[in-house]
């Protein structure tokens, strides 16, 4: 999420960067809500200070026998408490509304990223190896898997419906081998620490990695609970140290994990395969 102060201090730049990404946003609404929040915070600090002083004075007035003045001051305190509550509630509303707008903003592209309407504007940075030239028309993986008997779409559809695959025999063994290969490579050769995270995560975790609120339609939510099936291992791993302060000497930290990726990718390209 972009820092609200950065947005307020760089309105023209942020507007331009958003336009380069083909999107727009009501940045003025974000700024106004943040200003309201800050103004309410200042008012709350002053009201609470006055409230504390008045509370002390009530006790002193009662000791001095000035009961009528003390009761009048107590009545004003009740009014002050209502004013504090009203401002505190509105401040929370303004902060929540501001954060909701901020979470809809995409990251701003680096200066080195070329601007263009589609992938034709992409620049090739480097190339490794030479693509193989085949003397025949290659088949897609789902046709090869079916022909080899290692992928069964019909039985998967019987079990789960359309857009599912059942890996059979060597297909299942190949999947397991690839998982082990990935984990062994990163843990034994690249210094990563293997984790096995929960497959259910909270809304806060998904907000922390940017999946929410933008991709909520693609996620699977547990009915009656604010828990979601993980769309990728990135979510639990990235949130391992959320809200923690780490010492510089502890960094960097490298984690790797295998999880099933639960997401519908509604309307996405190639969703059928």
């Amino acid at each position: 999420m972009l820092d609200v102060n950065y947005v307020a201090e760089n309105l023209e730049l942020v507007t331009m960067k958003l336009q380069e990404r083909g999107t727009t946003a009501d940045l003025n609404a974000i700024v106004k809500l943040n200003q309201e929040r800050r103004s309410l915070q200042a008012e709350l600090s002053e009201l609470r200070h006055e409230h504390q002083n008045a509370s002390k004075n009530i006790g002193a007035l009662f000791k001095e026998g000035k009961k009528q003045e003390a009761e009048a001051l107590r009545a004003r305190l009740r009014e002050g408490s209502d004013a504090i509550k009203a401002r505190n509630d509105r401040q929370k509303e303004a902060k929540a509304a501001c954060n909701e707008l901020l979470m809809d903003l995409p990251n701003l592209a680096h200066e080195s990223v070329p601007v263009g309407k589609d992938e034709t504007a992409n620049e090739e940075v480097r190339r490794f190896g030479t693509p193989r030239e085949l003397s025949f028309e290659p088949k897609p993986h789902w046709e090869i898997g079916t022909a080899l008997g290692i992928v069964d779409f019909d039985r998967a559809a019987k079990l789960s419906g359309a857009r599912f695959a059942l890996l059979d025999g060597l297909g299942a063994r190949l999947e397991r081998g690839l998982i082990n290969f990935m984990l062994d490579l990163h843990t034994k050769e690249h210094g990563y620490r293997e984790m096995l995270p929960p497959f259910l995560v909270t809304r806060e975790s998904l907000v922390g990695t940017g999946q929410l609120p933008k991709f909520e339609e693609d996620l699977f939510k547990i009915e009656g609970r604010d828990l979601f099936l993980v769309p990728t291992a990135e979510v639990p791993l990235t949130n391992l140290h959320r809200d923690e302060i780490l010492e510089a000497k502890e960094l960097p930290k490298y984690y790797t994990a295998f999880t099933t990726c639960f997401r519908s990718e509604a309307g996405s390209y190639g969703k059928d395969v």
Side-chain angles (χ1 to χ4, degrees):
M1 188 169 71
L2 297 182
D3 181 76
V4 65
N5 294 319
Y6 179 85
V7 173
E9 295 166 7
N10 300 275
L11 277 177
E12 290 187 8
L13 174 63
V14 175
T15 299
M16 181 187 72
K17 288 291 186 182
L18 292 178
Q19 289 173 345
E20 288 178 354
R21 293 199 57 163
T23 185
T24 58
D26 189 355
L27 300 183
N28 288 323
I30 293 174
V31 173
K32 288 179 181 178
L33 284 167
N34 188 54
Q35 289 174 340
E36 181 184 5
R37 180 194 64 78
R38 295 177 66 175
S39 177
L40 287 166
Q41 181 61 51
E43 291 179 26
L44 279 168
S45 296
E46 185 175 346
L47 285 171
R48 284 167 176 155
H49 179 69
E50 293 174 358
H51 193 275
Q52 289 174 353
N53 289 336
S55 297
K56 295 176 182 178
N57 291 336
I58 289 176
L61 288 171
F62 272 117
K63 286 181 180 180
E64 295 172 9
K66 299 177 181 180
K67 183 177 179 181
Q68 188 173 356
E69 293 181 33
E71 292 294 350
L73 183 56
R74 180 175 285 172
R76 290 201 298 274
L77 270 179
R78 285 194 290 269
E79 294 177 2
S81 296
D82 292 340
I84 289 173
K85 183 180 184 306
R87 283 169 173 76
N88 189 54
D89 290 344
R90 177 52 197 161
Q91 185 198 34
K92 290 180 179 178
E93 291 173 1
K95 182 178 180 179
C98 184
N99 285 342
E100 187 173 347
L101 291 174
L102 283 168
M103 285 191 290
D104 280 334
L105 298 181
N107 287 328
L108 306 183
H110 190 267
E111 298 295 333
S112 63
V113 176
V115 178
K117 62 180 181 178
D118 53 36
E119 65 272 10
T120 59
N122 291 343
E123 297 177 2
E124 186 176 291
V125 178
R126 62 181 177 272
R127 182 177 296 201
F128 178 81
T130 304
R132 291 178 59 188
E133 293 186 7
L134 303 176
S135 59
F136 56 89
E137 183 69 24
K139 293 182 178 180
H141 70 270
W142 55 92
E143 289 186 11
I144 296 174
T146 302
L148 292 174
I150 63 175
V151 181
D152 191 330
F153 292 103
D154 294 333
R155 285 188 172 86
K158 181 170 64 174
L159 296 173
S160 308
R163 296 177 189 160
F164 287 90
L166 173 69
L167 299 182
D168 186 351
L170 289 177
R173 186 176 177 183
L174 174 62
E175 173 85 353
R176 178 163 52 87
L178 287 171
I179 294 167
N180 288 335
F181 169 72
M182 183 276 290
L183 293 172
D184 289 344
L185 176 69
H186 288 305
T187 55
K188 296 179 180 179
E189 297 185 28
H190 298 294
Y192 282 73
R193 182 171 180 173
E194 182 180 347
M195 309 294 282
L196 183 58
F199 283 11
L200 289 171
V201 291
T202 62
R203 179 175 294 273
E204 289 78 13
S205 295
L206 288 157
V207 168
T209 51
Q211 270 82 9
L212 288 179
K214 186 176 181 181
F215 300 113
E216 185 153 3
E217 290 185 1
D218 290 339
L219 302 175
F220 292 101
K221 188 176 186 299
I222 306 302
E223 186 175 357
R225 301 184 66 184
D226 207 19
L227 289 172
F228 297 79
L229 289 166
V230 292
T232 165
E234 168 197 350
V235 175
L237 293 187
T238 303
N239 280 277
L240 284 175
H241 299 289
R242 188 180 80 236
D243 299 328
E244 296 180 23
I245 297 176
L246 301 176
E247 296 288 342
K249 62 184 179 182
E250 299 178 68
L251 302 175
K253 289 182 176 291
Y254 296 103
Y255 297 111
T256 185
F258 166 77
T259 65
T260 299
C261 296
F262 300 96
R263 55 177 181 261
S264 65
E265 297 186 345
S268 64
Y269 173 78
K271 62 186 177 183
D272 290 314
V273 294

